[in-house]
Amino acid sequence: MQRAPLPRAHARTQTHVEAYVSVNRCLDTADTTIGRFYAASMYFDITEEIEKGLEKIDQMLEFTKGNGLIVAVDSNARSAAWHDLKTDKSGKTMEEFIVNKNLYIMNEESDRTTFHNAQGKSNIELTIVNTQILQALTNWEIYEEDSCSDHSIIIFCIGHHRKQDRQQHNYGIRYVINEQTLSRFERNLIASVATNFQKGKVTDIQRLYNELATQAKETCDIEKVVDKLQEAITTACNNSFRNAETNQKWTKCKSVPRWTQELTIKRKRLNALRRLSKNTYRRAEGDP
């Protein structure tokens, strides 16, 4: 039986384990302090259509319904969605499957890659989870220790947070915020959005929101809409807040103090939907 090696995981006490084995699949279940979850290790044969492997994941989703599911898969599929340098046909198919099934890719950007050999390197190993265990899996990374194969070791935490010792610089713009400036920001944001989207003077905020929501749903270029909104937010911030004095101090763990795990999850979901929308539009236009 060929299958990808299961990543190393740090979990709380495990009291019960069962195994379900079939061709190219090994599905284990564990009862832990975060509840029951299933873990699958898979290998997608590069000589076969990727749909065969995705069908097995679909069967797992049906079997494990209501419980957490972690799938560690050697997908032989490449996509910028999991930080590869290119996106191939299999990668596009897998992107659509992951979005349509409400799954999440836990891979983080890294200087290292999940696969490397004499011909090159790529990120074809994926760690995929469902909503039930999404917030319990943290600190995903490609381990620097040699795995004695052409596949890298992937480690992550389940059920508890591991202290991060990494430090990073924060060179971004930071603002001084208080209740008074927040009220000003709200007014400036409405004005900036109305200007960028050519809505004129706004008298009905709810109407503006509804018009923008409709425009976002109907547009064929979601990237342009996102860029306009980002520009409006930046303009509103610059017109509302005073810039904090920036010095190049070391900051631990987070470069943005108010950033949370929930925001990271939403960002992953947004990026996946944006890529799916862009690929769908390109195919409609006849691009490969």
Side-chain angles (χ1 to χ4, degrees):
M1 179 180 72
Q2 286 184 302
R3 60 186 181 90
L6 203 62
R8 184 183 302 176
H10 304 279
R12 304 294 285 184
T13 53
Q14 179 174 309
T15 58
H16 179 68
V17 175
E18 299 173 6
Y20 302 85
V21 181
S22 63
V23 178
N24 289 344
R25 181 175 70 179
C26 179
L27 183 62
D28 295 332
T29 177
D31 291 324
T32 70
T33 54
I34 62 169
R36 170 171 290 197
F37 71 88
Y38 293 79
S41 179
M42 302 184 68
Y43 168 76
F44 289 178
D45 193 328
I46 196 171
T47 63
E48 298 179 349
E49 295 293 329
I50 194 171
E51 284 80 4
K52 293 188 65 175
L54 297 180
E55 183 180 350
K56 293 176 182 177
I57 295 181
D58 202 18
Q59 293 171 359
M60 292 181 189
L61 290 171
E62 182 65 27
F63 179 82
T64 63
K65 188 176 295 184
N67 297 287
L69 175 64
I70 304 172
V71 179
V73 55
D74 177 356
S75 66
N76 278 311
R78 305 184 65 177
S79 170
W82 40 92
H83 312 292
D84 206 319
L85 295 177
K86 70 175 186 178
T87 301
D88 58 18
K89 181 181 177 181
S90 295
K92 290 179 180 179
T93 302
M94 192 151 195
E95 279 183 27
E96 294 181 8
F97 176 84
I98 290 170
V99 172
N100 291 333
K101 296 298 179 179
N102 291 319
L103 299 175
Y104 298 85
I105 302 168
M106 301 309 293
N107 294 44
E108 296 287 352
E109 192 169 7
S110 173
D111 293 334
R112 295 181 288 274
T113 57
T114 64
F115 174 82
H116 52 87
N117 61 14
Q119 282 70 46
K121 55 186 180 180
S122 60
N123 287 318
I124 55 175
E125 271 74 30
L126 301 182
T127 305
I128 304 170
V129 302
N130 62 359
T131 304
Q132 285 81 353
I133 201 170
L134 179 58
Q135 296 189 46
L137 193 151
T138 59
N139 299 330
W140 187 100
E141 67 175 304
I142 302 172
Y143 198 43
E144 60 185 6
E145 181 180 306
D146 191 358
S147 66
C148 299
S149 78
D150 49 14
H151 294 268
S152 301
I153 298 172
I154 297 172
I155 63 174
F156 49 78
C157 299
I158 301 175
H160 65 93
H161 294 276
R162 183 184 61 191
K163 183 178 179 181
Q164 295 187 9
D165 294 323
R166 298 181 196 157
Q167 295 178 320
Q168 57 189 16
H169 284 101
N170 176 17
Y171 297 124
I173 299 175
R174 303 184 70 178
Y175 299 98
V176 178
I177 300 175
N178 54 45
E179 291 184 7
Q180 182 179 359
T181 55
L182 282 175
S183 299
R184 187 190 311 157
F185 169 74
E186 184 175 350
R187 295 192 301 270
N188 288 334
L189 178 60
I190 293 171
S192 297
V193 170
T195 299
N196 280 21
F197 289 89
Q198 300 178 347
K199 298 299 180 182
K201 187 176 180 180
V202 177
T203 57
D204 187 341
I205 297 176
Q206 188 59 50
R207 181 179 177 183
L208 173 64
Y209 291 160
N210 293 339
E211 289 178 358
L212 293 178
T214 301
Q215 184 173 342
K217 290 178 181 178
E218 295 179 351
T219 184
C220 293
D221 191 353
I222 192 65
E223 296 284 344
K224 186 175 181 180
V225 174
V226 172
D227 289 341
K228 282 186 176 182
L229 182 58
Q230 178 66 47
E231 182 181 344
I233 294 173
T234 301
T235 300
C237 287
N238 292 335
N239 293 337
S240 306
F241 307 128
R242 177 171 61 86
N243 288 4
E245 292 184 4
T246 56
N247 49 20
Q248 297 178 356
K249 291 183 178 178
W250 287 98
T251 57
K252 294 212 172 200
C253 298
K254 295 182 180 179
S255 61
V256 183
R258 299 191 181 201
W259 196 266
T260 64
Q261 178 70 9
E262 287 75 17
L263 290 176
T264 299
I265 292 167
K266 290 180 180 179
R267 181 186 64 185
K268 286 177 178 289
R269 185 66 176 167
L270 174 61
N271 289 339
L273 290 171
R274 287 173 65 183
R275 286 188 294 268
L276 178 61
S277 174
K278 193 172 183 179
N279 291 337
T280 302
Y281 175 70
R282 284 177 175 174
R283 282 195 295 273
E285 293 293 312
D287 292 344

